[in-house]
Amino acid sequence: MIEIFQEFWPQYVGIGWDGGLSGAAMTIWLMLLTFFLGLLASIPLAILRVSSNKYLSKPIQLYTFIFRGTPLYVQLLIVYTGLFGLDFIRETPSLSAFFKSGFNCVVVAFSINCCAYVTEVLAGSIRSIPAGEIEAGRAFGFSKVKLYTKIILPSALRRALPYYSNEVILVLHATSIAFTATVPELLKVARDVNSATYASFSAFGIAGIFYAVIAAILVLIFRLLEKRWLAFLRPISTH
């Protein structure tokens, strides 16, 4: 394994085969971009999800059910190979150019899937906010918009932090299917190294080690964030 890593380390963590991002760098970039877009889109959707108006909440519930209930791999294949088969996609120059890129297709599929999970997490976090916090805002005369921007969303985002760490790690693992769209992430590099050396254990073992290291770093980062931003939820010591 050491010999394989010494020979191919630039592809794993240095410079990719084509001079672009290495496998590890591409994996991290996909993970961060996917989660950021998914989280950004989930905020308005979570607000609609907890709405008492069923015409607003039910379509969001259907969306999250579909994308949480079907495999991400199938969703990626639909975006990567299915959408380009539609006439209006092929005949619209901007859309055609966009969906010809495997990277763009991966980001779209992953972000939509991530958004579905984070929407439900954030909606649950909004529901868990103590009624007293909301009533206090109303007592100060906060409008509904100000209530969400000053009290509900900041509190819900912090309360959902432990669940975000799980979702980020799931997204990290999900990047391993991006090779389907020819994106040179970590597993694609491992497959290429395996094809060049036939050393399957070493090629995929190195990739597995990198996944584990990245996951460990993410867990540590989120634990530090939780310690800082969720201190108000810890019981007050009487000693």
Side-chain angles (χ1 to χ4, degrees):
M1 184 180 292
I2 295 176
E3 292 79 6
I4 296 295
F5 181 69
Q6 287 176 338
E7 182 177 357
F8 293 100
W9 71 265
Q11 286 75 40
Y12 282 104
V13 294
I15 303 299
W17 299 94
D18 58 356
L21 293 176
S22 67
M26 178 61 76
T27 291
I28 294 171
W29 174 232
L30 270 177
M31 177 192 68
L32 293 177
L33 184 59
T34 294
F35 184 74
F36 173 76
L37 294 176
L39 177 61
L40 198 64
S42 73
I43 294 174
L45 295 184
I47 294 173
L48 296 177
R49 180 72 178 87
V50 299
S51 171
S52 57
N53 186 334
K54 66 179 181 178
Y55 295 106
L56 297 177
S57 63
K58 290 301 181 183
I60 307 303
Q61 184 180 8
L62 178 62
Y63 154 68
T64 60
F65 173 78
I66 290 173
F67 282 91
R68 293 194 305 155
T70 55
L72 176 57
Y73 186 62
V74 173
Q75 297 168 23
L76 176 58
L77 290 177
I78 291 173
V79 174
Y80 181 56
T81 63
L83 290 183
F84 201 74
L86 301 176
D87 290 337
F88 81 93
I89 295 287
R90 293 198 310 271
E91 294 169 3
T92 305
S94 58
L95 291 177
S96 176
F98 181 85
F99 285 105
K100 275 184 180 178
S101 166
F103 179 83
N104 292 342
C105 292
V106 168
V107 170
V108 168
F110 284 14
S111 298
I112 293 174
N113 180 272
C114 177
C115 178
Y117 282 91
V118 179
T119 294
E120 288 294 341
V121 167
L122 187 55
S125 185
I126 290 174
R127 295 190 188 100
S128 72
I129 295 175
E133 293 185 22
I134 299 174
E135 290 303 322
R138 288 174 177 161
F140 278 98
F142 284 10
S143 65
K144 197 165 187 177
V145 173
K146 194 171 183 181
L147 200 61
Y148 265 97
T149 56
K150 298 295 185 180
I151 296 178
I152 297 177
L153 284 178
S155 179
L157 288 168
R158 287 193 295 174
R159 291 172 186 273
L161 196 56
Y163 303 97
Y164 293 154
S165 63
N166 293 334
E167 180 60 24
V168 170
I169 291 176
L170 289 176
V171 172
L172 169 66
H173 294 165
T175 60
S176 62
I177 66 171
F179 75 88
T180 305
T182 68
V183 175
E185 43 69 55
L186 199 51
L187 187 59
K188 173 88 168 47
V189 169
R191 287 165 61 90
D192 291 341
V193 171
N194 179 52
S195 298
T197 63
Y198 298 101
S200 301
F201 181 83
S202 296
F204 294 114
I206 293 169
I209 291 172
F210 276 112
Y211 281 119
V213 169
I214 294 170
I217 293 172
L218 289 172
V219 169
L220 177 60
I221 291 173
F222 273 97
R223 291 296 175 269
L224 293 174
L225 293 177
E226 289 171 26
K227 186 176 180 180
R228 177 181 176 85
W229 289 341
L230 295 182
F232 71 99
L233 292 179
R234 289 199 295 269
I236 299 175
S237 175
T238 57
H239 299 288

